């Protein structure tokens, strides 16, 4: 995911999520792959930096469940938001 972010391939990041995945973002839940795709599409061309810490990672067969803390910096107009 870090490599994809560095290459500004936000749609490819969205592809790693399952259909029932959740992202917790600024007090809201983004549920489902399509909504997650919209979230990452918003960042296309606007991502500045992304720092994250994986606190737990469970892998079973072809599925990984990751939880942790993420800090995403992105441009919105002339401002950089976190």
């Amino acid at each position: 995911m870090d490599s994809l972010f560095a290459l500004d391939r936000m749609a490819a990041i969205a592809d790693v999520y399952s259909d029932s995945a959740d992202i917790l973002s600024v007090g809201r839940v983004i549920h489902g792959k399509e909504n997650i795709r919209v979230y990452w599409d918003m960042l296309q061309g606007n991502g500045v930096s992304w720092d994250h810490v994986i606190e737990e990672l469970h892998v079973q067969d072809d599925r990984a469940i990751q939880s942790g803390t993420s800090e995403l910096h992105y441009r919105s107009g002339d401002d950089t938001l976190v």
Side-chain angles (χ1 to χ4, degrees):
M1 292 173 80
D2 292 327
S3 298
L4 295 170
F5 185 87
L7 295 170
D8 199 31
R9 297 190 53 212
M10 303 308 177
I13 293 173
D15 285 341
V16 305
Y17 291 90
S18 69
D19 291 337
S20 61
D22 291 323
I23 293 177
L24 304 175
S25 175
V26 192
R28 66 184 176 116
V29 176
I30 301 167
H31 178 74
K33 190 169 198 158
E34 280 309 307
N35 291 323
I36 291 171
R37 181 176 308 286
V38 169
Y39 169 82
W40 283 106
D41 283 348
M42 173 213 46
L43 296 169
Q44 184 73 40
N46 295 312
V48 175
S49 65
W50 185 27
D51 300 313
H52 54 96
V53 175
I54 297 171
E55 294 165 0
E56 291 185 45
L57 179 64
H58 302 279
V59 179
Q60 184 175 359
D61 301 322
D62 65 345
R63 178 174 281 200
I65 299 172
Q66 172 187 312
S67 57
T69 305
S70 180
E71 186 172 286
L72 181 63
H73 297 245
Y74 61 96
R75 287 184 296 278
S76 179
D78 292 333
D79 297 324
T80 297
L81 305 177
V82 179

